[in-house]
């Protein structure tokens, strides 16, 4: 995570690490240990509970592992990459002791079959797409193309504070198309925003500084909804849809469904942020000059940047014309683009350069998360849990609209406990699919509804700890956590209102809730 050193010239001088950081670190360690113990206790409690009607032994094991995973992810008791390895090991040895669903109870699955299930997520094409997306983000960082695009756009913005905010939002929107990693986009934008603040000689703790940084982070989250390739959690939903229904959602179909929602929420975001964190001044002297100076410092566009831009624009064209002009799926075209990026002479980086800061932990978490979801579905744990949810929420005969809203509210609340939308999607999307399959609503569009509920999983607007991009913004020390929370609550309220509006108009008209007869 990238952080910025606090401004030591501020009147609020931070305490030395020995007096300020030590208690916080001790408290964090205590929470982590408690989280790990609670996760293990939950795992044992589920494994030792009496067999439930309709739940196979393998399903009971997976529910125990799910309980462990949720507690560990919520408390961050283990690093996410470490938790993925631990969960994989638990699946291998715990499932090995029970029979596969539909087979004789006397025959245990064994470690070989259990290991295949624990590693099943790695064979999903969505994992290849996430890994390839990380390579593209690495190429953007290695060449500096993302920073150049950001500065180029901002150089055309005048010194009006609100116009600068709009410029930052436009940059966030554009980078969502070509940088398929939310964390990478915000990690690119935040140093530029901080450069703004320093160049303008604005107080780091001013409302303008907080407005700029929070808006940049929230814009990235908003466009995770509208663009399929903008975030890893979207690939989780795609992976489960492909596994369960042998079909996919194209980049263009996702964009048609989500982009209008993201556009409307972006407009709401602008008005919410500029009203709730109204800047102290109307204009910042020398705004354009500061940005143009930064642009001049990075020099002319290099050959590597031109090549990368060409590859990315071609890739974007292939994504948007899938099933329209060609049949190449998103994963295949992205892997081909990465191959070009790594090729000698025509490429933009070598293997060693691509590995600098490469988030292998994210890829590992993503793959194991899909393995957990696949196992929940295969062992019938997800369907058993779905029946409980359907019965207790009264969804059996509910309308598609009511199902969508109730499940959306549930996901918004449960997201407060998660620091990773990828982990949340890995946990909830298999259950969502099973719930939608268990209801008796005529003509319900399970694939369309799963996509819409995946949109809601990206509603990590409230707490700084709800997403890595939020934490990067918080690390700049330009705002207090309460500023993020109070604006985030209003953004979430606006997103929920738009959810109701779109669920009553655009999405039913497009056939995403029910299949048109």
């Amino acid at each position: 995570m990238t952080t910025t050193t606090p401004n030591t010239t501020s009147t609020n001088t931070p305490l030395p690490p020995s007096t300020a950081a030590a208690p916080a670190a001790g408290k964090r360690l205590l929470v982590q240990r408690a989280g790990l113990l609670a996760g293990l206790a939950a795992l044992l409690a589920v494994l030792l509970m009496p067999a439930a009607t309709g739940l196979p032994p393998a399903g009971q094991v997976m529910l125990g592992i799910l309980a462990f995973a949720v507690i560990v992810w919520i408390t961050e008791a283990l690093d996410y990459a470490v938790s993925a390895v631990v969960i994989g090991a638990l699946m291998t040895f715990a499932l090995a002791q029970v029979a596969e669903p539909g087979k004789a109870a006397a025959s245990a699955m064994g470690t070989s079959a259990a290991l295949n299930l624990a590693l099943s997520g790695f064979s999903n094409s969505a994992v290849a797409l996430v890994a390839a997306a990380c390579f593209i983000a690495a190429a953007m960082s290695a060449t500096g193309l993302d920073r150049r695009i950001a500065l180029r756009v901002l150089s055309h913005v005048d010194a009006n504070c609100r116009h600068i905010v709009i410029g930052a939002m436009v940059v966030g929107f554009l980078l969502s198309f070509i940088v398929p990693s939310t964390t990478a986009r915000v990690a690119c934008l935040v140093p530029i925003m901080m450069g703004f603040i320093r160049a303008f000689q604005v107080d780091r703790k001013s409302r303008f500084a907080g407005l700029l940084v929070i808006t940049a982070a929230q814009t990235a989250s908003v466009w995770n909804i509208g663009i399929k390739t903008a975030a890893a959690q979207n690939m989780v939903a795609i992976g489960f849809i492909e596994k369960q229904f042998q079909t996919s959602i194209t980049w263009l179909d996702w964009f048609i469904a989500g982009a209008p929602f993201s556009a409307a929420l972006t407009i709401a975001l602008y008005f919410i942020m500029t009203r709730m964190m109204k800047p102290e001044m109307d204009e910042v002297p020398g705004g354009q000059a500061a940005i143009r100076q930064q642009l001049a410092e990075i020099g002319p566009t290099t050959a590597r940047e031109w090549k990368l831009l060409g590859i990315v624009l071609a890739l974007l064209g292939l994504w948007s014309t899938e099933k329209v002009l060609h049949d190449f799926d998103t994963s295949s075209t992205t892997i081909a683009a990465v191959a070009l990026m790594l090729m000698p002479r025509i490429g933009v980086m070598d293997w060693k350069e691509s590995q600098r800061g490469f988030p292998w932990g994210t890829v590992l978490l993503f793959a194991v998360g899909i393995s957990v979801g696949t196992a929940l579905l295969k062992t019938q744990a997800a369907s058993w849990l779905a029946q409980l949810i359907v019965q207790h929420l009264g969804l059996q005969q509910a309308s598609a609209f009511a199902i969508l809203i109730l499940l959306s509210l549930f996901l918004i609340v449960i997201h407060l406990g998660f620091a990773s939308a990828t982990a949340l999607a890995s946990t909830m999307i298999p259950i969502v699919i099973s719930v939608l399959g268990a209801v008796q609503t005529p003509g319900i569009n399970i694939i369309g509804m799963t996509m819409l509920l995946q949109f809601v999983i990206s509603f990590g607007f409230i707490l700084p700890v709800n997403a890595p991009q939020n934490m990067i913004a918080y690390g700049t020390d330009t705002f207090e956590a309460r500023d993020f929370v109070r604006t985030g609550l209003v953004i979430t309220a606006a997103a929920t209102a738009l959810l109701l509006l779109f669920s009553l108009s655009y999405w039913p008209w497009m056939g995403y809730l029910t299949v048109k007869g």
Side-chain angles (χ1 to χ4, degrees):
M1 181 181 299
T2 303
T3 56
T4 304
T5 305
N7 186 357
T8 53
T9 61
S10 170
T11 55
N12 299 321
T13 305
L15 292 170
S18 59
T19 57
K27 184 179 179 181
R28 181 77 199 124
L29 183 61
L30 186 63
V31 170
Q32 288 175 328
R33 287 176 177 173
L36 184 57
L37 289 173
L40 290 170
L43 170 63
L44 290 173
V46 175
L47 292 179
L48 296 175
M49 73 179 187
T53 304
L55 180 64
Q60 185 168 336
V61 168
M62 281 311 304
L63 286 182
I65 292 172
L66 176 65
F68 171 84
V70 168
I71 293 171
V72 166
W73 286 337
I74 285 175
T75 61
E76 296 184 84
L78 297 171
D79 179 86
Y80 279 111
V82 174
S83 73
V85 176
V86 172
I87 290 166
L90 284 174
M91 288 178 65
T92 301
F93 288 97
L95 287 173
Q97 310 307 315
V98 296
E100 290 186 57
K103 292 191 176 181
S107 59
M109 190 182 301
T111 54
S112 180
L115 181 61
N116 286 336
L117 193 54
L119 298 179
S120 61
F122 288 88
S123 64
N124 193 290
S125 63
V127 176
L129 177 57
V130 169
C134 291
F135 277 104
I136 294 173
M140 285 285 175
S141 177
T143 61
L145 179 61
D146 51 359
R147 185 166 186 263
R148 183 180 298 279
I149 291 171
L151 289 171
R152 181 67 69 183
V153 172
L154 292 170
S155 69
H156 296 287
V157 178
D158 60 32
N160 183 285
C161 288
R162 286 183 172 81
H163 294 173
I164 292 170
V165 172
I166 292 173
M169 296 176 79
V170 170
V171 171
F173 164 68
L174 293 176
L175 290 181
S176 296
F177 287 92
I178 59 175
V179 183
S181 165
T182 322
T183 307
R185 292 198 302 276
V186 176
C188 162
L189 269 175
V190 161
I192 295 171
M193 298 301 105
M194 296 308 296
F196 255 15
I197 292 162
R198 286 191 297 270
F200 299 159
Q201 296 183 340
V202 174
D203 182 8
R204 178 190 293 269
K205 287 290 189 179
S206 66
R207 286 195 305 275
F208 172 68
L211 166 66
L212 206 55
V213 174
I214 294 175
T215 304
Q218 298 288 31
T219 301
S221 297
V222 166
W223 281 98
N224 284 346
I225 298 166
I227 298 174
K228 171 184 167 181
T229 50
Q233 64 261 24
N234 296 343
M235 298 303 105
V236 172
I238 293 296
F240 287 128
I241 287 170
E242 289 178 350
K243 198 89 172 179
Q244 195 71 1
F245 304 105
Q246 286 73 54
T247 187
S248 189
I249 301 170
T250 67
W251 189 96
L252 185 60
D253 287 340
W254 189 290
F255 188 76
I256 291 170
F261 183 93
S262 289
L265 188 54
T266 300
I267 295 169
L269 173 66
Y270 169 76
F271 286 106
I272 290 167
M273 292 304 303
T274 53
R275 297 302 185 276
M276 294 188 71
M277 295 191 70
K278 188 175 181 180
E280 295 87 345
M281 73 290 286
D282 290 329
E283 292 196 3
V284 179
Q288 269 193 326
I291 290 300
R292 287 174 179 168
Q293 180 182 352
Q294 289 186 53
L295 194 57
E297 286 172 357
I298 63 175
T301 308
T302 64
R304 288 205 308 167
E305 290 176 81
W306 282 119
K307 285 190 286 186
L308 179 58
L309 182 61
I311 291 171
V312 168
L313 290 178
L315 185 58
L316 182 60
L318 289 168
W319 285 344
S320 59
T321 56
E322 180 187 348
K323 304 299 182 186
V324 178
L325 298 179
H326 61 85
D327 291 325
F328 302 127
D329 63 89
T330 308
S331 299
S332 300
T333 53
T334 307
I335 291 171
V338 171
L340 285 175
M341 290 177 192
L342 294 171
M343 288 287 287
R345 296 185 179 275
I346 62 173
V348 298
M349 60 181 177
D350 58 26
W351 180 258
K352 286 185 179 179
E353 196 173 17
S354 73
Q355 294 307 293
R356 291 172 190 163
F358 190 92
W360 284 112
T362 299
V363 179
L364 183 61
L365 172 66
F366 183 85
V368 171
I370 289 185
S371 295
V372 171
T374 301
L376 286 170
L377 291 166
K378 189 171 182 180
T379 62
Q380 301 171 28
S383 58
W384 182 84
L385 200 56
Q387 289 292 344
L388 289 183
I389 294 172
V390 168
Q391 291 169 12
H392 285 85
L393 292 181
L395 301 181
Q396 196 75 30
Q397 303 290 340
S399 67
F401 170 78
I403 295 169
L404 178 63
I405 297 305
L406 283 172
L407 290 179
S408 295
L409 293 174
F410 171 69
L411 290 173
I412 290 170
V413 171
I414 200 173
H415 197 158
L416 293 173
F418 278 82
S420 165
T422 303
L424 178 60
S426 299
T427 302
M428 294 309 304
I429 289 298
I431 297 170
V432 162
I433 290 173
S434 295
V435 167
L436 295 174
V439 300
Q440 296 178 4
T441 306
I444 191 167
N445 185 343
I446 298 178
I447 294 174
M449 289 273 281
T450 301
M451 176 179 66
L452 299 182
L453 289 164
Q454 174 58 38
F455 293 170
V456 179
I457 283 176
S458 293
F459 285 17
F461 306 125
I462 297 176
L463 299 176
V465 296
N466 281 159
Q469 63 267 23
N470 298 353
M471 288 304 296
I472 290 174
Y474 184 60
T476 62
D477 195 36
T478 55
F479 58 88
E480 302 296 333
R482 63 176 177 270
D483 294 322
F484 198 97
V485 171
R486 66 186 183 88
T487 55
L489 284 168
V490 180
I491 295 165
T492 302
T496 305
L498 286 172
L499 185 73
L500 287 167
L501 177 63
F502 275 69
S503 299
L504 290 169
S505 55
Y506 180 64
W507 289 333
W509 177 62
M510 293 296 292
Y512 298 127
L513 273 67
T514 55
V515 179
K516 294 180 180 180

